Amino acid sequence: MATSVPLEPPSRVLLGPGPSSVSARVLRAMSIPLVGHLDPAFLRIMDETKRLLQFVFQTRNELTIPISGTGSAGMEACLVNLLEPGDTAVVCINGVFGTRMADIVERCGATLVKVEAPWGHSIDPTDVAAALKQHPAAKVVALVHAETSTGVWQPLEEIGRLVHGAGALFVVDTVTSLGGHPVRVDDWGVDACYSGTQKCLSCPPGLSPVTFSARAVEALRRRKTKVQSWYRDLTMIEKYWGAERVYHHTAPISMNYALYEALRIIEEEGLEARWQRHERNHQALKAGLAAIGLGIAAQEGHQLWTLNSVRIPDGVDDVQVRGTLLEEVNIEIGGGLGPLKGKTWRIGLMGESSNAANVLLVLSALERVLPRCGHRVDTGAAVAAAARIYGSSAPSGQR
Ligand SMILES: Cc1ncc(COP(=O)(O)O)c(C=O)c1O
């Protein structure tokens, strides 16, 4: 007699820092029959996936593929392929994920130069310029476009120009922005960029789309040493995704089906429409939160549409509120990380999860739960403020 627990997870409304909700189409894609990783039918899906990834990254880069593994695999792939022992890398740090990049840079045996900003603030381009002046031989400058730990959006264009002016390669983390905010790899001079499937692409976690510019590929070809990681070595992986079709590792077939279907959904919606949807839902949530005295913790003008970092009011217990939302309303929101632990909530509005119904649901739930946890609210105010945004004219436009 089997004693194991049945596989019956609850059906949650996923409004945390990821994963986001996944459409039935994507879930179905994961349950269709497998083919082999060299089957002509699968090779066709691989080619189409590359095309769709070029579309979401807004790039013509030939080397644009999903790496097996979650977002951290893409982060590692970008850094280990570009850095050799003795190289210098400038890493911008204003949260958890810049810190993680710095850790990987050191593991590559490269010299780490940190450019820091307080958590909750964006990186100042003049600090990047100063670092590049001090370290003119820097090979790589790496930063996070959408810092999920703090909800900060980082403008890329000016820093991209500085990096190229110094002859370095620009590495960008778009794990929480790709498919939710504009990401224009070619226009912004991004040389290596990675993302994750479980955020604004609305696919389960398991693949990490990456793209390498011609300059980055050239740097890869000019390496004097082998890539430190066999599994992440793009010189080998590209031979499976390119014309040669040389086996490297067995592609996770069902995950690739899921990503393909998720990308098709994005193509059907259109990127501009999708970005606008994310902006509109963020504005509505922000207005609703403000109406009950909850502010956004990230710097004004640099707030993500996809991840809202919300200041917890004095005297309110972080864990009690999140626990009540989960138990009573089936809503998952995230807690703060590092220095923001206990000080912020992180409400994700990513991909399928970014919709008006979810915004109104979480606001009405907060209106009910917060008074029990020591924060008085004007019942109905949050929902009414959000509804006014939905009733108003179009969002302010694209960044
Ligand atoms: C900005 C950012 N970079 C990298 C990662 C790492 O991705 P994963 O947890 O999928 O490995 C995350 C995960 O939340 C993230 O938000």
Side-chain angles (χ1 to χ4, degrees):
M1 184 66 177
T3 54
S4 47
V5 176
L7 183 60
E8 289 169 349
S11 179
R12 305 285 197 207
V13 180
L14 294 175
L15 300 182
S20 61
S21 301
V22 172
S23 84
R25 271 174 65 177
V26 172
L27 292 176
R28 263 198 308 275
M30 295 191 79
S31 64
I32 63 176
L34 299 190
V35 291
H37 59 278
L38 290 170
D39 189 298
F42 190 66
L43 301 182
R44 259 200 314 278
I45 290 169
M46 288 168 66
D47 286 344
E48 275 293 279
T49 301
K50 279 173 69 172
R51 180 186 68 76
L52 288 167
L53 284 178
Q54 287 170 330
F55 162 67
V56 292
F57 274 124
Q58 297 281 281
T59 184
R60 290 170 197 245
N61 290 341
E62 182 53 36
L63 184 50
T64 302
I65 59 174
I67 292 282
S68 305
T70 61
S72 306
M75 182 189 289
E76 201 157 60
C78 288
L79 294 169
V80 300
N81 279 277
L82 294 178
L83 291 172
E84 294 184 71
D87 286 340
T88 296
V90 175
V91 179
C92 302
I93 302 176
N94 56 350
V96 166
F97 297 102
T99 308
R100 189 173 297 181
M101 282 180 155
D103 186 356
I104 296 174
V105 163
E106 288 184 319
R107 285 165 194 254
C108 291
T111 302
L112 170 68
V113 175
K114 294 183 188 175
V115 170
E116 294 181 271
W119 286 40
H121 288 254
S122 65
I123 300 291
D124 186 339
T126 57
D127 292 340
V128 177
L132 285 169
K133 201 163 172 206
Q134 246 192 320
H135 301 275
K139 185 175 184 186
V140 156
V141 174
L143 55 62
V144 180
H145 187 215
E147 192 28 277
T148 325
S149 59
T150 61
V152 166
W153 166 73
Q154 179 68 48
L156 297 180
E157 286 166 276
E158 187 179 349
I159 295 181
R161 279 194 292 273
L162 289 169
V163 174
H164 281 197
L169 296 164
F170 193 24
V171 175
V172 177
D173 175 319
T174 60
V175 170
T176 291
S177 53
L178 191 71
H181 280 263
V183 171
R184 304 183 192 277
V185 164
D186 287 359
D187 289 353
W188 297 344
V190 178
D191 292 299
C193 191
Y194 61 89
S195 190
T197 42
Q198 75 271 25
K199 311 258 186 175
C200 306
L201 303 181
S202 265
C203 181
L207 289 174
S208 175
V210 302
T211 184
F212 267 46
S213 71
R215 294 173 76 235
V217 171
E218 202 187 312
L220 184 60
R221 305 261 183 269
R222 280 207 309 260
R223 285 181 70 100
K224 295 188 196 73
T225 57
K226 274 188 175 180
V227 175
Q228 298 90 317
S229 160
W230 180 89
Y231 197 57
R232 306 271 168 247
D233 185 340
L234 285 172
T235 64
M236 296 194 284
I237 296 172
E238 70 175 343
K239 293 198 170 77
Y240 172 55
W241 282 86
E244 289 135 296
R245 303 298 186 190
V246 180
Y247 161 73
H248 177 258
H249 65 274
T250 310
I253 306 293
S254 305
M255 271 311 304
N256 276 279
Y257 287 166
L259 175 61
Y260 178 58
E261 195 60 10
L263 293 171
R264 272 168 32 84
I265 291 171
I266 296 176
E267 189 182 42
E268 286 165 20
E269 181 175 8
L271 275 180
E272 297 277 340
R274 194 171 176 93
W275 298 333
Q276 276 175 19
R277 169 164 67 81
H278 281 79
E279 180 178 17
R280 168 61 64 104
N281 291 319
H282 158 73
Q283 296 299 358
L285 180 74
K286 188 175 163 179
L289 293 170
I292 51 171
L294 300 183
I296 300 287
Q299 184 185 351
E300 190 61 54
H302 290 264
Q303 295 168 353
L304 288 174
W305 305 335
T306 50
L307 191 286
N308 301 274
S309 177
V310 181
R311 243 180 258 112
I312 300 176
D314 288 342
V316 172
D317 184 49
D318 164 28
V319 176
Q320 188 191 358
V321 172
R322 283 191 288 123
T324 310
L325 289 177
L326 195 70
E327 279 160 31
E328 291 186 11
V329 211
N330 261 322
I331 295 177
E332 178 187 272
I333 66 166
L337 296 179
L340 300 177
K341 189 170 162 39
K343 296 188 177 144
T344 58
W345 290 309
R346 290 181 301 149
I347 305 182
L349 293 175
M350 305 182 196
E352 291 280 315
S353 292
S354 176
N355 61 56
N358 282 346
V359 169
L360 298 173
L361 182 71
V362 73
L363 289 173
S364 73
L366 285 170
E367 283 183 2
R368 273 183 293 124
V369 170
L370 283 175
R372 278 192 266 153
C373 301
H375 181 71
R376 288 179 53 190
V377 306
D378 185 1
T379 306
V383 170
R388 273 196 295 280
I389 297 287
Y390 288 122
S392 71
S393 57
S396 59
Q398 296 303 310
R399 289 164 173 164

